[in-house]
Amino acid sequence: MRNCMRADLVRVLKKGSFRTMLIITMILVAATGLPSIVGAKENTDTYFAFITMLNNFSNLFIGIPVFLAVYSDDFKSRAMQTVIGFGVSRSKLIICRLLEVIIIVAMCYAILSLEIFVLKLISGASTKVFLSCIKELWSSEIMMVADCSICMIIVYVMQNATLALVTYILIESGAIGVMLGLASMIPLLKNHNIQLGNFLPNYVVTKMMEGEAFAFFVVILGYIALPLYVTMKIFNSKELEF
Amino acid sequence: MAENAVIELEGIEKRYGDHAVLKGVNMTVNKGDIYGLIGKNGAGKTTLFKVVLGLSDFEAGKLSILGAQTEEQNQKNRQKIGFFVGSNFFGYLNARENLHYYRMCKGIKDKEEVERVLDIVGLSEVSDKVPAKRFSLGMKQRLGIANALLGDPDILIFDEPTNGLDPQGIADIRHLIQRINEESGKTIIVSSHILGELENTAHRFGIVHNGIIMKEMTSEDMLTNNGYTMLEISDNDVEKAKKLLTDNGININSIKQSSESLEDFYFNLVGGER
């Protein structure tokens, strides 16, 4: 499993389009971050605008290339079938790919954290503002991994990385949140004050970052471990296409 | 399990819903053989390979790879199989990068292994600046075979390796398969729906039709089919040849005249090695 993961990490980091998207994200962060946090001692409106940008755009600008590089390329090239044919177990392969997502996203966010630190030094923003930015950034990483984990079910069960990518984009862009918000207006749900949007990872991760221990377990068990288990269970008996 | 068998299938059945794709397949591949799996498109060749490679379940029957008695043992022994079942490369990586990817996946530490297999398939001179997506079909097939050879596996499986190739490409791949078998004694299973393609390559044949192996036979069986030997005589004077044979006490069962095959005609016209 370690061999497969190492090989795949090297491959992803060699992918030109992935590196390009990472550079574009860094430029966007620099372009919007610098004017937003210049001399900021406390959280300001411009700072909050920057945080929103970090949450929304970095998840899309990093999440999409990561999803494409790890899952779509794996299917498109039929590398997954080949590796399984070599004798690697399907369950191990699924775990391996999710670990790769975690590692690659963490690497990207480490680079962005460094960039924000440089921005802090240049702009003279306070350490409080800097730490607040970093906290927001890493909570996005957890959200992204949870979202990828949910979409992974579609990747392997339906063997359709494109459909999974579309679902990922819909979750990250907030479209599914809006849809669930509308669905919550159904009288039965409304009467019981059930907000379906609260079941999405971004809501629970926000609660987790606010220090709610229960949310932590929901994120780890509900959004990462459960999709992993469901995917492995179903995928183990799936027919693989060449 | 037969003494010399490396892959043995007994009564393998596979269904897609109501449609039976494999209907009790029995097949034995012996060590060192080039086994030609012949059948038209949709006969069940690829499904058979998928079952052997563990990419597809089967409902009934028994599969044994390198003497394995359980599916766990089969799974372990699959590491000794190299296979090519169609293009399986990352288009943005070059040939070396692609092979290094699979080398690492297989846990092969020696980086020179990639050069060794590239050399065997004749791709060692290809520039690293060319990504795999720019390769010709023939180069892709060669790269696929190189990938199968990584780690020096005991068994090689090639699913229609000459699909879509020009006559020269077909001949090159045919020679490559023969060379690999002769030089390393590897067991090779190769499928095709073109009969002539395997005729001069394989030692044993399995004819798949509608999900069953209708017949297994050796190349000698083919040559001495029904107890007589088929001779091919290249001469325009049929009567002279007939007289020569009968004068020497050879019984002639039948005489069949045929002209030059299209493949022969092509190679005579443009040159190249068959």
Side-chain angles (χ1 to χ4, degrees):
Chain A
M1 190 169 100
R2 264 185 301 171
N3 292 329
C4 283
M5 200 157 74
R6 206 159 55 93
D8 220 43
L9 286 172
V10 170
R11 171 187 70 78
V12 172
L13 297 178
K14 274 185 180 168
K15 191 177 179 185
S17 61
F18 174 75
R19 287 189 297 208
T20 307
M21 286 303 282
L22 185 60
I23 291 166
I24 289 172
T25 309
M26 287 174 70
I27 292 169
L28 272 173
V29 168
T32 55
L34 198 57
S36 302
I37 58 173
V38 169
K41 303 292 177 200
E42 293 296 331
N43 298 345
T44 60
D45 287 348
T46 51
Y47 159 75
F48 280 116
F50 175 57
I51 291 298
T52 310
M53 193 285 300
L54 266 186
N55 271 338
N56 295 341
F57 286 89
S58 62
N59 276 14
L60 280 172
F61 275 67
I62 291 177
I64 293 173
V66 169
F67 205 92
L68 283 170
V70 175
Y71 292 113
S72 299
D73 287 358
D74 205 24
F75 269 87
K76 211 167 103 181
S77 64
R78 299 187 184 118
M80 183 193 66
Q81 291 91 324
T82 308
V83 171
I84 291 170
F86 286 166
V88 174
S89 89
R90 296 179 185 208
S91 296
K92 280 184 181 172
L93 194 78
I94 292 169
I95 296 169
C96 182
R97 294 291 179 258
L98 186 63
L99 288 175
E100 278 170 45
V101 168
I102 295 171
I103 292 169
I104 295 167
V105 174
M107 278 167 61
C108 294
Y109 276 50
I111 295 169
L112 286 181
S113 299
L114 190 67
E115 191 189 7
I116 291 172
F117 178 69
V118 173
L119 288 178
K120 172 205 177 298
L121 295 180
I122 296 169
S123 67
S126 70
T127 304
K128 189 181 171 188
V129 166
F130 166 71
L131 290 176
S132 176
C133 283
I134 295 298
K135 189 182 165 191
E136 285 296 331
L137 193 68
W138 286 90
S139 72
S140 320
E141 203 242 340
I142 300 167
M143 277 181 217
M144 196 190 292
V145 171
D147 292 338
C148 279
S149 184
I150 291 168
C151 295
M152 180 180 67
I153 301 176
I154 302 173
V155 172
Y156 289 103
V157 173
M158 301 182 79
Q159 295 189 46
N160 189 334
T162 310
L163 187 61
L165 180 66
V166 171
T167 311
Y168 176 81
I169 294 170
L170 289 175
I171 295 175
E172 289 295 349
S173 64
I176 290 198
V178 171
M179 280 189 262
L180 291 177
L182 289 171
S184 300
M185 301 304 283
I186 297 167
L188 181 70
L189 297 172
K190 198 179 174 186
N191 291 343
H192 291 86
N193 198 23
I194 295 170
Q195 292 295 318
L196 292 175
N198 292 356
F199 293 102
L200 283 175
N202 61 352
Y203 178 81
V204 185
V205 171
T206 308
K207 289 285 169 197
M208 185 182 102
M209 297 309 276
E210 286 169 3
E212 286 191 22
F214 176 71
F216 174 77
F217 288 108
V218 172
V219 170
I220 301 297
L221 295 175
Y223 296 136
I224 298 175
L226 184 65
L228 196 63
Y229 177 75
V230 170
T231 310
M232 287 195 297
K233 266 288 187 207
I234 302 174
F235 187 62
N236 272 335
S237 56
K238 274 270 166 188
E239 175 92 14
L240 293 185
E241 295 305 324
F242 281 128
Chain B
M1 186 163 179
E3 198 182 315
N4 208 21
V6 290
I7 292 182
E8 200 162 24
L9 290 90
E10 278 178 41
I12 296 286
E13 290 178 20
K14 167 79 191 165
R15 306 182 72 85
Y16 292 123
D18 292 337
H19 179 58
V21 188
L22 301 177
K23 304 168 187 169
V25 169
N26 297 309
M27 180 177 145
T28 306
V29 181
N30 294 325
K31 192 171 190 289
D33 270 351
I34 299 181
Y35 188 101
L37 198 60
I38 303 163
K40 64 180 184 180
N41 290 329
K45 304 188 294 294
T46 303
T47 307
L48 205 56
F49 284 157
K50 279 161 78 172
V51 164
V52 172
L53 294 170
L55 299 175
S56 182
D57 280 342
F58 51 94
E59 280 83 43
K62 194 182 160 205
L63 165 69
S64 175
I65 301 168
L66 293 165
Q69 295 299 315
T70 63
E71 182 47 32
E72 285 71 33
Q73 288 173 347
N74 277 336
Q75 183 69 5
K76 199 176 167 211
N77 288 346
R78 283 188 179 107
Q79 292 171 3
K80 292 170 188 167
I81 300 179
F83 64 96
F84 169 60
V85 285
S87 180
N88 53 354
F89 296 107
F90 298 100
Y92 52 86
L93 299 180
N94 63 37
R96 276 185 182 78
E97 287 170 336
N98 268 301
L99 291 174
H100 276 298
Y101 171 82
Y102 287 114
R103 175 188 66 78
M104 288 167 79
C105 284
K106 281 186 168 180
I108 303 164
K109 293 209 165 36
D110 184 9
K111 290 183 179 175
E112 285 305 306
E113 177 67 0
V114 168
E115 297 307 319
R116 184 186 74 85
V117 295
L118 279 173
D119 201 38
I120 292 173
V121 300
L123 285 179
S124 51
E125 300 298 320
V126 175
S127 167
D128 284 345
K129 288 178 182 165
V130 185
K133 66 182 169 194
R134 301 247 168 85
F135 280 11
S136 68
L137 192 58
M139 286 166 80
K140 284 178 182 166
Q141 309 288 73
R142 282 169 180 272
L143 190 56
I145 292 174
N147 182 26
L149 290 167
L150 277 174
D152 205 18
D154 296 337
I155 304 165
L156 293 165
I157 292 178
F158 300 137
D159 188 20
E160 311 237 6
T162 56
N163 232 0
L165 294 181
D166 59 32
Q168 186 64 61
I170 291 173
D172 288 347
I173 296 288
R174 189 193 296 156
H175 283 290
L176 183 60
I177 290 170
Q178 283 173 324
R179 188 157 56 84
I180 291 166
N181 176 262
E182 283 163 13
E183 288 176 4
S184 61
K186 287 191 190 309
T187 307
I188 301 175
I189 310 174
V190 55
S191 75
S192 181
H193 59 273
I194 305 164
L195 307 184
E197 186 185 311
L198 293 176
E199 197 177 348
N200 301 318
T201 315
H203 307 142
R204 292 186 75 231
F205 303 90
I207 297 169
V208 197
H209 186 66
N210 284 340
I212 54 164
I213 300 267
M214 294 192 74
K215 190 167 175 66
E216 276 189 312
M217 58 187 174
T218 63
S219 46
E220 287 81 22
D221 289 340
M222 272 185 70
L223 205 63
T224 57
N225 207 2
N226 297 326
Y228 58 81
T229 304
M230 286 172 69
L231 290 177
E232 190 178 300
I233 299 169
S234 298
D235 200 303
N236 287 329
D237 194 341
V238 179
E239 287 308 316
K240 187 181 157 194
K242 202 171 155 183
K243 187 172 184 306
L244 192 68
L245 291 170
T246 46
D247 286 352
N248 285 284
I250 297 168
N251 290 325
I252 300 171
N253 189 292
S254 67
I255 290 180
K256 189 178 156 193
Q257 269 184 280
S258 64
S259 58
E260 192 175 38
S261 73
L262 194 56
E263 190 185 12
D264 292 334
F265 180 78
Y266 172 86
F267 281 110
N268 287 336
L269 191 68
V270 302
E273 201 186 349
R274 251 161 296 190

